[in-house]
Amino acid sequence: MSSDAPQPLRELTLRGIVLGGIITLLFTAANVYLGLKVGLTFATSIPAAVISMAILRYLPGANILENNIVQTIASAAGTLASIIFVLPGLIMIGWWQNFPYVTTAAITGLGGVLGVLFSVPLRRALVIDSELPYPEGRAAAEVLHVGSGSREGAEESAKGLWVLIWASVVSTVFAILTQTKLVAAEAATWFRVGAGATGISGGLSFALLGVGHLVGISVGLAQFLGLVTGWWLLLPVLTADHPMPGGAETWANAVFRSDVRFFGAGVIGVAAIWALIRIARPVVGGIRSAFAASRARQQGEVLALTERDMPIGVVICGSFAVLLPILWLLWSILSGGPLTGSAALLLGGALLFIFVFGLLIAAVCGYMAGLIGSSNSPVSAIGILSVLAASLLLAGLFGRDNPVATSQALIAYALIVTGIVFGVATIANDNLQDLKTGQLVGATPWKQQVALLIGVVFGSLTVPPVLDLLNAAFGFVGTPGAGPNALSAPQAGLISALAKGVLGGDLNWPMLGYGAIAGVGFVVLDELLGKAKLLRLPPLAVGIGIYLPMAVMLPVVIGSIVGWFYDRWADGRPAPEPALRMGVLVATGMIVGESLWGVAFAGIVAVTGSDSPLALVGEGFEPIALIGGTLLFIALTAWLYRYAKARVA
C-alpha cells in the first residue's frame, strides 16, 4: 500500500467512543477502589480489547482499528484512577472534607490532557526509535490481531470473555463472603525477634493475586526482596531501638509507618531519578524527530498514515493553552486564603513547575511503561519526587515557621500542584503503551491521540463521584471518623506526610537518606544482573515492596509465582500465545470482580451507616473463618486456572 492510499477501515467512530465510555465506568471505578485499598492499579488495555471485540463482532463493519480505539479510550480513562495516589492526601491533612466535583475533575483532567500532549513527541523516541519491549502494548496488539483476523480468533475472544466473566464472578463472591465474616479477609501472625518485633501477614484477595500474575516473576521477586528488607531485616532492628508498650502487632506497625516506609521512599526516589538519567538522550532525539516530521509536512511531503502524529505546532500551542485553565484552578484555590498576598509568585512558579517537571515526568513514565509495563511503572514514585520538589521550593520561599493556617495552605497547594503533575504522569504512563499497540496494528497516531483525549475526559468525570462515595462510606486510615473498613490509601498517606514533613521541618530525613543509599545499591544490583543476563530485580519494585504493607505485598508475590508456573505451562504448548492471553484474562477478572464489588459495598455502607452491614457471625467464628477461608481461596484459585487451561484446549 502506498503512503497516500486511502485508509479503508473505519477507526474513530461514534459507537467505538460510546463503548469505550461504558467500559471506562467499570474499569475506572475498579481501579479507584483497588488503588485506595492496596496502593496498586491494573492495566485495562487487554480486557477492554477483549470486551470490545466480543461486542462489536455483532455489528457491521467492525474492524481491528475500531477495536483499538475502544481499548485506547478505556485504558486512558482507567489509568487516570491513579490520581488517588495524591488527592486523598487533601482529606488526610484536613483541607477537604469531601471531594468537590469540579475541582477534583479539573485537577485530574487538566493534568491528563497535558500528559497526552507531552507524549506526542515522545512517541518517536520511545516507541518508533526504541527497542523497549512494551509488554502490555504488544500483548494488546496480539489480542487485537487474533480476535479480528479470523473466525477462530473471534471464537477465542468469546472464550476469553467467559474466562474474564467467571474470574470476576468468583472474585466477587469470595469478596462478599469476607464481608459476611464467614471467611477471613487476611491471615496474620505477629511475634518478637530478639528485642524487636515483626510479623507475617497476607490478604486473601483475588485482586492482589491477579496483580501478581500481571506484573510477572521479575517484579514479584523484586517486591519480595523489598518485603524481606523492610519487614524481616529493618523492622526487627528498628523496633528494638524504639521499644513501645503493647503487643507486637501495634509496635511493629507503628515503627513501619514512622520509619520503614520513609526508607522505602528513599529507595523509590533514587530509582526514579536513575530512570530519568537513562532516557535523557532518546527523549531529546524524539523531540528532534517530531520537529523534522513537521518540517517534512510543511514542505509537502506525504507521510504514511502510521506516521501522522498531531502536528507539533498543535501540541505546543495546546500545551500552553491548557496552562490557562490550570491558572484559573490554582487561583480559585489561593483566592481569599492566607496565601492570597503571594498569589503572583505562587501561580508563576506552579505553572513553570508543572510545565517543565511535567515534561520530564512524562518521559520517565513513558520509558518505564515501555520497559516493565504500565502496571508497574513508577507513578507512585513520581508522586513522591513531585511533592518533595514542590514542597522544597515552597519551603525555600516561605520557610518552615509559619502560622498553622499558612502551613496547611502551603501543604494543600503542594499536593494540588503535585496532583496536576501526577495526571501528566499517569497518562504518559499509559499513552505510549497504547501508541505501541497502535503502531503494531497499523493505527493512525493522531486519531489515537484524539481517542486518548476523549478517554481523559471520560476518566476525569468518573473519578470524583467514586472517590466521594468511598470516602463517605469508609474514610481513610488516620482520618477522623474512619471506620474499621477504612481504606489505607498508602501512597496518598506517604505523599501528604512528605509534604507536611518538608514544610513543617519534621521530615524523617535520616530514613530517607538511608533509603537513598540502599536505592543506589539496588540500582547497581539490577544493572549487574542485567549485564549477567540473569533475572533482573527492578529497584522501583524493590522500593514498593519496602513501603507497602506486607498484607498487600505477600499475595502479590504469591500471584507472581502462580502466574510464572501458569506461563511455563503455556510456553510448553504448541501455540503458547492463546494460553498466555487466557492467563492474563483470568488475572484481570480476579481484579475487576473484587474491585467493582468494593465500590458496590461502599454504596451499601453509605446507605446503611454500618461498617459491617453484611456480617453474619461474630468474632468467635474467626478461627473457622481463617481455616475455611484459606482452603476455599486455594480451591477457587486452582479451579479458575484449570478453567482457563480448558478454554485453551
Side-chain angles (χ1 to χ4, degrees):
M1 181 182 294
S2 63
S3 62
D4 59 347
Q7 173 58 260
L9 299 179
R10 294 189 301 173
E11 196 164 350
L12 191 61
T13 63
L14 178 60
R15 69 187 186 187
I17 292 171
V18 171
L19 180 57
I22 294 171
I23 297 174
T24 286
L25 295 175
L26 299 176
F27 285 170
T28 302
N31 255 336
V32 168
Y33 175 79
L34 184 69
L36 290 175
K37 181 181 180 182
V38 302
L40 297 168
T41 58
F42 66 98
T44 58
S45 298
I46 291 175
V50 169
I51 293 172
S52 175
M53 289 185 295
I55 293 174
L56 291 183
R57 62 185 290 209
Y58 296 106
L59 300 178
N63 63 79
I64 188 171
L65 299 185
E66 188 177 23
N67 284 314
N68 180 55
I69 289 294
V70 174
Q71 72 85 17
T72 297
I73 292 172
S75 66
T79 199
L80 268 184
S82 296
I83 195 69
I84 52 87
F85 292 165
V86 177
L87 292 187
L90 293 164
I91 301 283
M92 295 175 177
I93 67 169
W95 184 259
W96 283 354
Q97 302 306 312
N98 53 28
F99 292 93
Y101 187 90
V102 174
T103 304
T104 304
I107 293 171
T108 306
L110 292 171
V113 170
L114 272 183
V116 174
L117 296 174
F118 285 171
S119 64
V120 172
L122 296 176
R123 188 184 76 89
R124 293 181 179 274
L126 299 181
V127 176
I128 304 299
D129 302 327
S130 167
E131 296 182 357
L132 291 171
Y134 287 97
E136 291 153 351
R138 290 182 180 277
E142 181 65 20
V143 168
L144 288 168
H145 274 303
V146 171
S148 302
S150 63
R151 178 180 176 183
E152 289 78 11
E155 291 175 355
E156 183 191 323
S157 294
K159 290 179 180 178
L161 182 60
W162 278 110
V163 168
L164 184 71
I165 289 172
W166 274 113
S168 299
V169 169
V170 168
S171 177
T172 301
V173 170
F174 190 87
I176 292 173
L177 288 174
T178 63
Q179 296 299 339
T180 66
K181 310 298 183 183
L182 292 173
V183 302
E186 180 180 321
T189 181
W190 305 91
F191 47 85
R192 292 180 176 272
V193 179
T198 188
I200 300 175
S201 63
L204 297 178
S205 165
F206 278 103
L208 294 178
L209 196 74
V211 168
H213 182 129
L214 293 181
V215 300
I217 192 67
S218 176
V219 171
L221 291 183
Q223 290 174 336
F224 182 68
L225 175 59
L227 186 152
V228 170
T229 301
W231 285 89
W232 298 333
L233 295 180
L234 284 174
L235 196 57
V237 174
L238 293 173
T239 48
D241 289 341
H242 299 85
M244 293 183 184
E249 179 180 359
T250 302
W251 183 16
N253 281 311
V255 174
F256 174 78
R257 288 190 297 268
S258 63
D259 290 328
V260 175
R261 290 185 64 191
F262 284 94
F263 183 95
V267 174
I268 290 171
V270 167
I273 291 170
W274 175 244
L276 178 61
I277 293 171
R278 292 185 64 180
I279 66 168
R281 182 177 295 178
V283 167
V284 172
I287 295 173
R288 288 175 178 168
S289 297
F291 278 106
S294 178
R295 287 193 297 269
R297 187 182 293 109
Q298 292 170 2
Q299 293 169 5
E301 182 180 335
V302 179
L303 296 176
L305 284 175
T306 54
E307 289 296 316
R308 296 180 188 175
D309 286 293
M310 277 186 187
I312 194 67
V314 172
V315 172
I316 293 174
C317 293
S319 298
F320 282 107
V322 172
L323 295 181
L324 294 177
I326 291 177
L327 182 68
W328 165 82
L329 171 66
L330 296 177
W331 167 249
S332 69
I333 293 165
L334 294 175
S335 179
L339 302 178
T340 304
S342 304
L345 178 63
L346 287 169
L347 291 173
L351 291 181
L352 183 64
F353 180 82
I354 289 168
F355 196 84
V356 175
F357 202 68
L359 186 57
L360 294 175
I361 289 311
V364 171
C365 284
Y367 177 84
M368 292 306 295
L371 182 64
I372 57 176
S374 299
S375 298
N376 201 55
S377 193
V379 286
S380 54
I382 295 311
I384 290 169
L385 290 177
S386 299
V387 80
L388 280 174
S391 300
L392 287 169
L393 289 172
L394 290 174
L397 292 172
F398 291 88
R400 293 188 174 92
D401 298 323
N402 296 297
V404 174
T406 302
S407 293
Q408 188 186 43
L410 287 170
I411 294 167
Y413 194 70
L415 290 176
I416 289 168
V417 171
T418 298
I420 296 172
V421 173
F422 207 70
V424 176
T426 57
I427 284 299
N429 176 46
D430 173 79
N431 283 6
L432 294 176
Q433 202 81 244
D434 291 330
L435 291 171
K436 183 64 179 182
T437 301
Q439 179 205 17
L440 294 173
V441 301
T444 308
W446 75 263
K447 292 182 180 179
Q448 239 188 317
Q449 288 151 2
V450 170
L452 291 166
L453 290 172
I454 294 171
V456 167
V457 173
F458 282 146
S460 61
L461 295 177
T462 305
V463 167
V466 178
L467 270 175
D468 214 34
L469 172 63
L470 295 174
N471 177 51
F474 302 141
F476 303 115
V477 171
T479 58
N485 295 313
L487 300 164
S488 63
Q491 286 90 340
L494 179 58
I495 286 171
S496 60
L498 289 172
K500 290 170 65 176
V502 171
L503 291 166
D506 59 350
L507 187 63
N508 193 340
W509 288 110
M511 292 308 298
L512 275 174
Y514 295 142
I517 294 171
V520 173
F522 289 129
V523 166
V524 172
L525 173 63
D526 181 57
E527 292 298 318
L528 291 175
L529 290 172
K531 289 184 181 299
K533 300 188 183 303
L534 299 174
L535 184 70
R536 302 193 68 155
L537 299 173
L540 275 165
V542 177
I544 290 170
I546 294 172
Y547 89 77
L548 284 181
M550 186 190 295
V552 172
M553 282 290 92
L554 191 56
V556 173
V557 172
I558 293 172
S560 72
I561 296 171
V562 171
W564 179 74
F565 277 109
Y566 177 89
D567 290 347
R568 283 190 64 189
W569 169 84
D571 287 334
R573 298 189 60 79
E577 290 81 8
L580 290 170
R581 284 193 291 271
M582 289 298 175
V584 169
L585 291 172
V586 75
T588 303
M590 292 177 181
I591 296 169
V592 171
E594 181 177 326
S595 299
L596 289 179
W597 162 250
V599 177
F601 181 67
I604 297 172
V605 171
V607 170
T608 62
S610 170
D611 292 319
S612 303
L614 303 181
L616 300 177
V617 294
E619 294 182 1
F621 196 75
E622 286 182 359
I624 298 174
L626 176 59
I627 297 172
T630 303
L631 294 175
L632 179 62
F633 186 82
I634 294 171
L636 289 174
T637 300
W639 181 81
L640 281 175
Y641 277 103
R642 281 201 302 268
Y643 180 78
K645 289 180 178 181
R647 298 306 95 188
V648 177

